[in-house]
Amino acid sequence: MKTLSVKKVNDSAITSAEQIPTIFDIEQIPFHQIDCINWKDYPYHPDVKFRIAHTGNAILLHYCIIEQSVRATAPEDNGRVWEDSCAEFFVQPGTDNQYYNFECNCAGTLLLNCGRVGDRHPAPESIMQQVLRWASLGREPFEERIGTCSWQLALAIPAAAVFNHSVKDFSGLHMRANFYKCGDLLQTPHFLSWNPIQLPKPCFHCPEFFGNIHFGE
Protein backbone atom coordinates (compact mmCIF):
# COMPACT_ATOMS: atom_id res chain seq x y z
CA MET A 1 0.00 0.00 0.00
CA LYS A 2 1.37 3.38 -1.02
CA THR A 3 1.75 6.31 1.37
CA LEU A 4 1.84 9.98 0.44
CA SER A 5 2.85 13.03 2.50
CA VAL A 6 0.93 16.17 1.58
CA LYS A 7 2.83 19.42 2.18
CA LYS A 8 1.10 22.45 3.66
CA VAL A 9 1.50 25.68 1.67
CA ASN A 10 0.45 29.28 2.30
CA ASP A 11 -2.99 30.05 0.88
CA SER A 12 -2.70 33.83 0.95
CA ALA A 13 -1.90 34.09 -2.78
CA ILE A 14 -4.51 31.62 -4.07
CA THR A 15 -7.54 33.29 -5.63
CA SER A 16 -8.07 30.86 -8.53
CA ALA A 17 -7.18 27.27 -9.44
CA GLU A 18 -5.12 28.55 -12.37
CA GLN A 19 -2.47 29.71 -9.87
CA ILE A 20 -1.92 26.24 -8.43
CA PRO A 21 0.70 24.96 -10.94
CA THR A 22 2.85 28.06 -10.40
CA ILE A 23 2.53 27.85 -6.61
CA PHE A 24 3.48 24.18 -6.77
CA ASP A 25 6.56 25.04 -8.83
CA ILE A 26 7.61 27.64 -6.27
CA GLU A 27 6.97 25.26 -3.36
CA GLN A 28 8.72 22.40 -5.21
CA ILE A 29 5.75 20.06 -4.84
CA PRO A 30 6.74 16.73 -6.47
CA PHE A 31 4.82 14.81 -9.10
CA HIS A 32 3.56 11.26 -8.60
CA GLN A 33 2.59 8.81 -11.35
CA ILE A 34 -0.82 7.27 -11.90
CA ASP A 35 0.53 4.21 -13.67
CA CYS A 36 -1.00 1.01 -12.28
CA ILE A 37 -2.55 -1.05 -15.07
CA ASN A 38 -4.80 -3.33 -13.06
CA TRP A 39 -6.67 -5.09 -15.86
CA LYS A 40 -4.97 -6.82 -18.78
CA ASP A 41 -7.94 -6.16 -21.08
CA TYR A 42 -7.15 -2.44 -20.85
CA PRO A 43 -3.39 -2.16 -21.44
CA TYR A 44 -3.31 1.40 -22.80
CA HIS A 45 -1.08 3.59 -20.63
CA PRO A 46 -1.39 7.36 -21.10
CA ASP A 47 1.24 9.47 -19.33
CA VAL A 48 -0.49 10.64 -16.14
CA LYS A 49 1.07 12.44 -13.21
CA PHE A 50 -0.31 14.51 -10.36
CA ARG A 51 0.84 16.53 -7.42
CA ILE A 52 -0.99 17.48 -4.25
CA ALA A 53 -0.63 19.97 -1.40
CA HIS A 54 -2.97 21.61 1.09
CA THR A 55 -3.50 25.00 2.72
CA GLY A 56 -5.15 23.78 5.90
CA ASN A 57 -8.60 24.69 4.67
CA ALA A 58 -8.28 23.28 1.13
CA ILE A 59 -6.72 20.43 -0.83
CA LEU A 60 -4.88 21.50 -3.98
CA LEU A 61 -4.46 19.14 -6.95
CA HIS A 62 -2.62 19.46 -10.26
CA TYR A 63 -2.78 16.81 -13.00
CA CYS A 64 -0.62 16.68 -16.15
CA ILE A 65 -1.75 14.19 -18.80
CA ILE A 66 -0.69 13.14 -22.30
CA GLU A 67 -3.03 10.78 -24.14
CA GLN A 68 -4.01 9.63 -27.64
CA SER A 69 -7.34 11.47 -27.68
CA VAL A 70 -9.40 13.74 -25.44
CA ARG A 71 -13.12 14.09 -24.86
CA ALA A 72 -15.30 16.36 -22.70
CA THR A 73 -18.97 15.82 -23.55
CA ALA A 74 -20.54 15.96 -20.07
CA PRO A 75 -22.64 19.14 -20.29
CA GLU A 76 -22.77 20.01 -16.60
CA ASP A 77 -21.58 19.05 -13.12
CA ASN A 78 -22.56 15.67 -11.64
CA GLY A 79 -22.88 14.21 -15.13
CA ARG A 80 -21.13 11.19 -16.70
CA VAL A 81 -17.64 12.71 -16.62
CA TRP A 82 -15.97 9.27 -16.26
CA GLU A 83 -16.86 8.59 -19.90
CA ASP A 84 -14.69 11.57 -20.91
CA SER A 85 -10.97 12.18 -20.38
CA CYS A 86 -11.23 12.13 -16.62
CA ALA A 87 -8.88 12.56 -13.64
CA GLU A 88 -10.17 11.42 -10.27
CA PHE A 89 -9.44 11.71 -6.54
CA PHE A 90 -11.24 9.43 -4.08
CA VAL A 91 -10.74 10.12 -0.39
CA GLN A 92 -11.99 8.52 2.83
CA PRO A 93 -11.60 10.97 5.73
CA GLY A 94 -12.86 8.83 8.62
CA THR A 95 -13.56 5.32 9.86
CA ASP A 96 -17.27 5.26 8.98
CA ASN A 97 -16.62 3.76 5.50
CA GLN A 98 -17.89 6.89 3.76
CA TYR A 99 -15.70 8.32 1.00
CA TYR A 100 -15.85 11.11 -1.57
CA ASN A 101 -15.24 10.76 -5.32
CA PHE A 102 -13.99 13.94 -7.01
CA GLU A 103 -14.13 13.12 -10.75
CA CYS A 104 -13.26 15.90 -13.18
CA ASN A 105 -13.02 15.80 -16.96
CA CYS A 106 -10.54 17.74 -19.07
CA ALA A 107 -12.96 20.68 -19.33
CA GLY A 108 -13.24 21.05 -15.56
CA THR A 109 -16.72 19.53 -15.29
CA LEU A 110 -16.99 17.86 -11.88
CA LEU A 111 -18.79 14.91 -10.33
CA LEU A 112 -18.83 14.73 -6.53
CA ASN A 113 -20.64 12.06 -4.52
CA CYS A 114 -20.32 10.83 -0.95
CA GLY A 115 -21.38 7.71 0.90
CA ARG A 116 -20.56 4.04 1.18
CA VAL A 117 -20.16 1.56 -1.67
CA GLY A 118 -23.61 1.11 -3.22
CA ASP A 119 -25.18 3.97 -1.25
CA ARG A 120 -23.89 7.27 -2.57
CA HIS A 121 -25.36 10.75 -2.78
CA PRO A 122 -24.44 13.81 -4.88
CA ALA A 123 -23.05 16.97 -3.37
CA PRO A 124 -25.41 19.96 -3.20
CA GLU A 125 -24.96 22.60 -5.87
CA SER A 126 -23.79 25.06 -3.21
CA ILE A 127 -20.85 22.74 -2.46
CA MET A 128 -20.01 22.13 -6.13
CA GLN A 129 -19.68 25.86 -6.71
CA GLN A 130 -17.00 26.11 -4.02
CA VAL A 131 -14.58 23.72 -5.78
CA LEU A 132 -12.28 25.94 -7.86
CA ARG A 133 -11.17 24.48 -11.21
CA TRP A 134 -8.81 25.30 -14.03
CA ALA A 135 -8.53 23.32 -17.27
CA SER A 136 -5.85 24.06 -19.85
CA LEU A 137 -8.25 23.02 -22.66
CA GLY A 138 -10.92 25.50 -21.55
CA ARG A 139 -14.23 24.97 -19.78
CA GLU A 140 -16.54 24.28 -22.75
CA PRO A 141 -17.70 20.73 -23.64
CA PHE A 142 -16.37 19.16 -26.84
CA GLU A 143 -16.56 15.87 -28.76
CA GLU A 144 -13.59 13.52 -28.90
CA ARG A 145 -10.47 14.92 -30.55
CA ILE A 146 -8.27 12.22 -32.01
CA GLY A 147 -4.52 12.71 -31.83
CA THR A 148 -1.92 13.08 -29.11
CA CYS A 149 -2.93 15.80 -26.67
CA SER A 150 -1.29 17.21 -23.56
CA TRP A 151 -3.57 18.80 -20.98
CA GLN A 152 -3.59 19.99 -17.40
CA LEU A 153 -6.19 20.25 -14.68
CA ALA A 154 -6.03 22.01 -11.30
CA LEU A 155 -8.52 21.86 -8.43
CA ALA A 156 -8.85 23.64 -5.09
CA ILE A 157 -11.11 21.52 -2.89
CA PRO A 158 -12.27 23.36 0.25
CA ALA A 159 -12.88 21.57 3.54
CA ALA A 160 -16.58 22.30 3.02
CA ALA A 161 -16.54 19.86 0.09
CA VAL A 162 -16.09 17.04 2.61
CA PHE A 163 -19.72 17.78 3.37
CA ASN A 164 -20.68 14.72 5.42
CA HIS A 165 -17.78 15.15 7.84
CA SER A 166 -16.80 17.95 10.21
CA VAL A 167 -13.38 18.68 8.73
CA LYS A 168 -12.33 22.29 9.33
CA ASP A 169 -8.57 21.98 8.86
CA PHE A 170 -6.70 19.23 7.04
CA SER A 171 -3.47 19.90 8.95
CA GLY A 172 -2.16 16.79 10.68
CA LEU A 173 -4.97 14.52 9.45
CA HIS A 174 -4.49 10.98 8.14
CA MET A 175 -6.84 9.79 5.41
CA ARG A 176 -7.08 7.02 2.84
CA ALA A 177 -7.24 7.83 -0.85
CA ASN A 178 -6.59 6.82 -4.43
CA PHE A 179 -6.00 8.75 -7.63
CA TYR A 180 -7.26 7.61 -11.02
CA LYS A 181 -7.28 8.31 -14.76
CA CYS A 182 -10.00 6.89 -16.96
CA GLY A 183 -11.87 7.42 -20.19
CA ASP A 184 -14.64 4.84 -20.53
CA LEU A 185 -15.88 5.99 -23.95
CA LEU A 186 -12.65 7.21 -25.47
CA GLN A 187 -11.25 5.65 -28.64
CA THR A 188 -8.95 3.66 -26.34
CA PRO A 189 -10.63 3.07 -22.97
CA HIS A 190 -8.33 2.91 -19.96
CA PHE A 191 -8.46 2.64 -16.16
CA LEU A 192 -5.29 3.62 -14.31
CA SER A 193 -4.74 3.99 -10.56
CA TRP A 194 -2.08 5.34 -8.21
CA ASN A 195 -2.45 2.56 -5.64
CA PRO A 196 -2.96 -0.88 -7.23
CA ILE A 197 -6.36 -2.56 -7.30
CA GLN A 198 -6.81 -6.33 -7.11
CA LEU A 199 -10.27 -6.89 -8.58
CA PRO A 200 -11.31 -8.99 -11.62
CA LYS A 201 -12.74 -6.07 -13.64
CA PRO A 202 -12.44 -2.27 -13.64
CA CYS A 203 -13.85 -0.66 -10.52
CA PHE A 204 -12.63 2.44 -8.71
CA HIS A 205 -15.22 2.30 -5.93
CA CYS A 206 -13.10 0.03 -3.78
CA PRO A 207 -11.85 1.81 -0.64
CA GLU A 208 -10.19 -1.40 0.52
CA PHE A 209 -7.51 -0.62 -2.09
CA PHE A 210 -6.98 3.03 -1.14
CA GLY A 211 -3.50 4.14 -0.11
CA ASN A 212 -2.60 6.35 2.85
CA ILE A 213 -2.17 10.12 2.77
CA HIS A 214 -0.94 12.34 5.59
CA PHE A 215 -1.51 16.09 5.61
CA GLY A 216 1.43 18.03 7.03
CA GLU A 217 1.14 20.53 9.87
Side-chain angles (χ1 to χ4, degrees):
M1 182 181 296
K2 293 182 179 178
T3 298
L4 192 60
S5 295
V6 181
K7 181 180 178 180
K8 186 174 184 179
V9 299
N10 191 328
D11 68 346
S12 61
I14 300 174
T15 57
S16 73
E18 187 173 2
Q19 297 171 292
I20 292 173
T22 299
I23 292 170
F24 280 12
D25 288 344
I26 294 170
E27 294 285 343
Q28 298 183 322
I29 304 300
F31 279 104
H32 309 275
Q33 294 294 134
I34 300 176
D35 58 2
C36 290
I37 299 176
N38 302 288
W39 300 283
K40 64 180 181 179
D41 291 340
Y42 300 95
Y44 173 54
H45 190 311
D47 182 6
V48 185
K49 58 186 180 181
F50 74 95
R51 46 187 177 171
I52 180 172
H54 79 102
T55 63
N57 59 12
I59 298 172
L60 310 178
L61 289 168
H62 178 215
Y63 296 89
C64 292
I65 297 168
I66 303 173
E67 55 186 325
Q68 292 176 350
S69 68
V70 289
R71 180 184 191 266
T73 64
E76 57 191 16
D77 284 350
N78 281 334
R80 300 174 68 87
V81 296
W82 65 89
E83 296 177 345
D84 293 333
S85 299
C86 191
E88 304 184 356
F89 170 56
F90 285 32
V91 63
Q92 185 177 47
T95 59
D96 58 2
N97 293 323
Q98 294 192 69
Y99 64 94
Y100 299 80
N101 52 298
F102 294 86
E103 308 179 23
C104 197
N105 73 10
C106 60
T109 306
L110 180 67
L111 168 67
L112 171 55
N113 291 339
C114 176
R116 298 172 178 85
V117 175
D119 181 23
R120 306 191 57 68
H121 309 281
E125 177 61 26
S126 59
I127 295 295
M128 301 294 291
Q129 292 177 357
Q130 295 181 55
V131 180
L132 303 181
R133 313 157 211 177
W134 170 72
S136 63
L137 298 179
R139 294 297 310 276
E140 295 298 320
F142 58 85
E143 295 294 331
E144 187 169 12
R145 301 170 182 171
I146 306 299
T148 301
C149 181
S150 175
W151 58 277
Q152 299 181 50
L153 175 70
L155 303 175
I157 300 170
V162 187
F163 56 91
N164 271 7
H165 295 79
S166 58
V167 175
K168 302 299 182 183
D169 190 331
F170 291 102
S171 303
L173 297 183
H174 295 270
M175 297 185 181
R176 301 188 68 239
N178 213 343
F179 302 82
Y180 306 118
K181 170 66 178 76
C182 66
D184 290 34
L185 294 186
L186 266 67
Q187 175 181 252
T188 308
H190 53 275
F191 306 91
L192 304 179
S193 66
W194 167 67
N195 201 63
I197 299 169
Q198 297 176 358
L199 292 174
K201 60 182 180 180
C203 177
F204 290 163
H205 289 271
C206 50
E208 66 270 29
F209 295 109
F210 288 3
N212 295 312
I213 60 174
H214 172 68
F215 295 89
E217 297 282 359

